[in-house]
Amino acid sequence: MKKTTLRIVAAVSVAGSTIVAAGMASGAATAAPVPASVSLPPYYSELDVTGDEMVTTADLSVAADSLGLTEESPDWSRVAVLDTDADGELTVLDLADLSRRIIYDDGPFELVEASVIDMQAAMNAGVVTSESITQEYLDRIAAYDRTVVAGGSRPLNSIITVNEQALASAAAADEIRASQGMTSMLLGVPIALKDNYDTVDMVTTGGCACWNENQTATDASMVTGLRSDGAVILAKASLDEFAYGFVSEFSSFQDPGATSLVASPYDTTKTAGGSSGGTGAAISANLAAIGFGTDTGGSIRVPSSYNQLVGVRPTVGLASRDGIIPLALSQDTGGPMARSVIDAAVALDAVVGVDDADPVTSRQQGLVPDSYTSFLDPDALQGARIGYVTSMVGTNAGTVRLFSEATAALTAQGATVVTVTPPSGFAAVLNEGSGSTNEFLHDLDEYIATHLGPEVEARTLTDILATNSFVTSRRSIYEARNAVTDATYQAWAGETGSHTVQLAAGKTLVTQMMEDLDLDAIIYPSTNAYGTQGTNMRLSPNTGMPSVTVPMGQTVAGETLPGSGVNLEFLGRDFDEGTLLGLAYAFEQTTDARTSPSLYGPLP
């Protein structure tokens, strides 16, 4: 991840290197303050010595005034935390480390691969505004999304709708920053949403031309959280129609029978995965800052792996699904997709909470931290105990090599990695099917009754089939779903239904397996290169337990599809997303495995 730096005002030279001594450049000096209510990752707060839970110029001044103090000095206890090189003396090297932890930066800003920290630093310093960042993303969408770029073979097709109110929202965020400071880590940050999240300022098509007019009266609950934190809702991302499959084929705003496919920004001959493929392609190609997808059986984690992103499938019950077009509510959950773990953690903070409209969220009471960023410790792997099941690694040469290198990196950072012999019943957990057939009609009808916009004429699955405005190659699939009776639904997803019982059994079995072996997480490859790896994607949805997927590297010559990304997935106990994000962050910091797609660099 690109580190935020502080530009020079007064400097000294140490061993030929220029080190910040104190102060900030004039642009940052007049920036609005950072309120103490903002939750910052430890890197940006743990060296605070002034009591406001963040590193600011006031801390830098204390450090500058304390240069030369040693552990023998009477005032050492007050500044000992600043001795980051642990040599027993406060030196300019410690001061330089401190200066890097201030989220102000008056230097040049590059949007491509910029993290939330980078954006906030630049906006705090007045180098850029939310409005200018938003405009640059809009320019990138216009230049790249529906164009065959040099070296590519087909367009990304990652965006369905651009928000006409995005610039106005960005301008409002800039006004808040000017008057109140940085009120949130998402203030002014442009977000792309999978087009099954309801939004009051854009239609929600679900990827289907049958619902081109679905203008809802309310935002999805998760979108409400994002807006409350000052995020700019930039666009709606493409998806596999009604979130069904892994190829991201959609019909929105196309003639009957016509469809489009989302392409990977690394190799446009390949799929971006699905069903959240548009989100995956858009975030990886730097068409928005952070994205949100949904995951029923892999729909966040597959495109995250194909597109070298961090993806979070939260515990079912952490974030409300109200206002999201459902696929199968027994397993549906929404979560962030981002270029870094910090961005994913910041985004997750905004969308958690109990919502009466989604009763399963009542499970989270007392189990959610103040901020997931508090877990982002580069030393989080030290002392961790992590297990893996050998059969889940598979036999693909590239995946096997990358997984081996990943376990070596985990071990080098202080984790104990052990092989796990799964108990009887584990295969049944992995082999339980998705509810996307037996639950779709029932759950879609509930969405239609409570959320569907009044202008939509196709108000049943029967109506949709009559329009011919859908991915018509799936007609038989939709017909089969439409034929599911309430009795079939209840036998599957009812209180004592077979699926309901198996999901509960899966959660119990895997949780007990972790308890018996004292595991902090279970790891496995999310996918192979542009292909699934066995039934790995089923472990999280078939237990309801959370998982975080993070890049672990790319295939090389002699392996399947050289240059393709493959992710490592961490699975943990219910509502233990913080631990998983901490482990993923420490792994990310030591491996730095993500690459940026070269076809979609900075605009000319």
Side-chain angles (χ1 to χ4, degrees):
M1 185 188 70
K2 184 173 68 176
K3 297 295 185 187
T4 301
T5 57
L6 184 69
R7 292 300 183 252
I8 297 168
V9 171
V12 295
S13 180
V14 177
S17 300
T18 302
I19 305 297
V20 175
M24 299 196 315
S26 58
T30 59
V34 180
S37 59
V38 175
S39 295
L40 296 172
Y43 183 82
Y44 301 97
S45 60
E46 64 189 356
L47 299 188
D48 167 52
V49 291
T50 57
D52 57 3
E53 300 181 0
M54 63 188 69
V55 175
T56 66
T57 53
D59 300 291
L60 201 61
S61 294
V62 170
D65 291 341
S66 304
L67 282 175
L69 291 183
T70 71
E71 56 191 1
E72 305 299 326
S73 303
D75 291 338
W76 180 249
S77 61
R78 184 170 65 94
V79 296
V81 68
L82 302 179
D83 180 25
T84 54
D85 60 8
D87 66 351
E89 181 180 3
L90 203 63
T91 68
V92 290
L93 295 178
D94 300 311
L95 196 59
D97 186 27
L98 183 67
S99 74
R100 287 193 289 269
R101 300 172 187 238
I102 299 176
I103 54 170
Y104 291 103
D105 184 350
D106 67 336
F109 175 74
E110 173 53 61
L111 187 72
V112 172
E113 297 298 305
S115 71
V116 165
I117 297 292
D118 297 323
M119 293 180 198
Q120 295 298 351
M123 288 188 287
N124 286 345
V127 174
V128 295
T129 62
S130 174
E131 195 168 1
S132 68
I133 289 175
T134 300
Q135 183 62 63
E136 189 169 353
Y137 277 130
L138 292 172
D139 292 344
R140 289 180 63 81
I141 292 170
Y144 283 145
D145 192 57
R146 296 300 174 106
T147 302
V148 179
V149 299
S153 61
R154 57 189 176 108
L156 289 177
N157 290 328
S158 70
I159 300 295
I160 289 179
T161 306
V162 169
N163 191 355
E164 294 180 355
Q165 301 301 314
L167 288 172
S169 296
D174 288 332
E175 292 180 4
I176 291 172
R177 189 181 304 273
S179 61
Q180 302 175 43
M182 190 182 76
T183 56
S184 160
M185 289 293 286
L186 285 181
L187 179 65
V189 174
I191 306 289
L193 304 168
K194 186 176 183 177
D195 196 16
N196 56 355
Y197 284 73
D198 286 353
T199 48
V200 296
D201 44 13
M202 287 177 284
V203 295
T204 302
T205 73
C208 187
C210 63
W211 280 6
N212 286 346
E213 294 81 28
N214 182 26
Q215 181 56 68
T216 60
T218 58
D219 284 328
S221 178
M222 290 173 67
V223 178
T224 298
L226 290 166
R227 292 197 205 269
S228 295
D229 270 11
V232 174
I233 306 304
L234 179 75
K236 304 294 277 294
S238 310
L239 67 156
D240 202 273
E241 188 175 81
F242 286 118
Y244 173 70
F246 288 163
V247 297
S248 290
E249 183 176 8
F250 63 98
S251 62
S252 307
F253 302 108
Q254 297 173 75
D255 294 336
T259 65
S260 295
L261 289 164
V262 181
S264 166
Y266 295 93
D267 181 350
T268 59
T269 68
K270 302 294 189 296
T271 177
S275 63
S276 310
T279 305
I283 303 308
S284 193
N286 289 274
L287 305 188
I290 297 172
F292 275 83
T294 58
D295 191 307
T296 306
S299 292
I300 284 174
R301 294 161 295 142
V302 169
S304 291
S305 188
Y306 290 5
N307 297 289
Q308 301 185 37
L309 297 175
V310 176
V312 181
R313 178 190 157 87
T315 308
V316 175
L318 183 67
S320 172
R321 287 87 51 88
D322 185 56
I324 299 175
I325 300 172
L327 178 60
L329 285 174
S330 66
Q331 295 166 306
D332 285 354
T333 186
M337 300 168 68
R339 293 180 295 269
S340 68
V341 177
I342 280 183
D343 288 1
V346 167
L348 189 61
D349 277 345
V351 298
V352 302
V354 175
D355 180 7
D356 291 342
D358 187 1
V360 72
T361 59
S362 64
R363 298 179 57 235
Q364 70 181 258
Q365 290 279 10
L367 300 175
V368 178
D370 290 338
S371 175
Y372 289 105
T373 62
S374 65
F375 292 85
L376 306 187
D377 182 350
D379 297 324
L381 285 165
Q382 291 186 11
R385 187 171 167 83
I386 298 170
Y388 71 93
V389 177
T390 303
S391 61
M392 296 181 73
V393 179
T395 59
N396 179 280
T399 302
V400 169
R401 175 186 59 81
L402 289 167
F403 187 80
S404 177
E405 291 175 358
T407 58
L410 295 172
T411 301
Q413 292 302 306
T416 299
V417 180
V418 298
T419 57
V420 174
T421 300
S424 175
F426 187 74
V429 176
L430 292 179
N431 291 326
E432 176 67 8
S434 167
S436 59
T437 293
N438 288 339
E439 298 173 54
F440 180 69
L441 179 64
H442 174 276
D443 295 348
L444 188 71
D445 282 347
E446 285 193 359
Y447 173 88
I448 290 169
T450 55
H451 292 289
L452 191 66
E455 299 302 316
V456 178
E457 295 182 0
R459 306 192 74 83
T460 66
L461 191 47
T462 300
D463 292 343
I464 291 170
L465 285 164
T467 67
N468 238 28
S469 292
F470 58 93
V471 178
T472 53
S473 63
R474 298 178 185 171
R475 178 178 292 276
S476 62
I477 294 171
Y478 288 140
E479 289 174 343
R481 293 178 181 182
N482 201 31
V484 173
T485 65
D486 186 63
T488 299
Y489 169 81
Q490 292 297 335
W492 171 266
E495 187 173 344
T496 60
S498 62
H499 188 59
T500 303
V501 170
Q502 177 56 50
L503 296 190
K507 184 190 298 290
T508 298
L509 184 144
V510 176
T511 301
Q512 190 60 53
M513 182 174 79
M514 294 184 67
E515 291 293 329
D516 291 344
L517 297 172
D518 192 27
L519 299 179
D520 295 292
I522 297 170
I523 57 171
Y524 44 90
S526 288
T527 67
N528 293 320
Y530 293 113
T532 56
Q533 165 47 41
T535 53
N536 289 9
M537 285 290 102
R538 307 304 308 163
L539 185 57
S540 179
N542 287 353
T543 59
M545 297 162 70
S547 62
V548 175
T549 183
V550 62
M552 64 175 173
Q554 299 78 39
T555 54
V556 297
E559 298 172 347
T560 304
L561 301 171
S564 303
V566 179
N567 273 23
L568 180 69
E569 190 162 330
F570 294 80
L571 178 126
R573 296 168 178 81
D574 271 11
F575 301 107
D576 203 15
E577 284 83 356
T579 294
L580 299 180
L581 286 163
L583 298 175
Y585 177 75
F587 177 76
E588 173 193 62
Q589 296 304 293
T590 193
T591 57
D592 194 24
R594 171 174 162 78
T595 64
S596 187
S598 60
L599 295 177
Y600 299 92
L603 290 176

